[in-house]
Amino acid sequence: MSAVVLIIDDELQIRRFLQISLQANGYTVHLTATGEEGLLKAAQLRPDLIILDMGLPDIDGLEVLKRLREWTQTPVVIL
């Protein structure tokens, strides 16, 4: 079973690049474009890794990280 990565980034080109690169290396990738959607997906999927953009259109990335840390210790890579 492959590791699950959740990408939370509002820039389509970055999401596509990361998705292609990670899938080529055997990861299962899920994409979201907003902080709220990312928080919901993180709760549903329980990914092995989250890649998080700091400049999201709805919630600041630091707020997303703060809310994630209330209930999970999943590793987060900040973009």
Side-chain angles (χ1 to χ4, degrees):
M1 185 169 187
S2 65
V4 175
V5 178
L6 174 61
I7 299 170
I8 307 172
D9 196 306
D10 62 323
E11 294 184 44
L12 180 60
Q13 297 88 347
I14 292 174
R15 287 195 315 265
R16 283 185 179 164
F17 170 76
L18 290 171
Q19 181 180 28
I20 291 166
S21 299
L22 290 166
Q23 285 178 337
N25 285 286
Y27 294 91
T28 299
V29 178
H30 296 271
L31 308 171
T32 64
T34 67
E36 287 291 346
E37 184 183 3
L39 288 166
L40 181 62
K41 284 275 193 184
Q44 292 171 343
L45 298 171
R46 302 293 179 153
D48 299 297
L49 175 70
I50 298 171
I51 299 177
L52 175 62
D53 180 27
M54 288 286 102
L56 298 169
D58 59 341
I59 304 174
D60 180 75
L62 287 176
E63 179 63 24
V64 173
L65 181 60
K66 179 182 169 187
R67 289 165 65 179
L68 285 168
R69 286 296 172 246
E70 291 174 358
W71 57 272
T72 183
Q73 290 300 310
T74 299
V76 177
V77 174
I78 305 292
L79 292 182

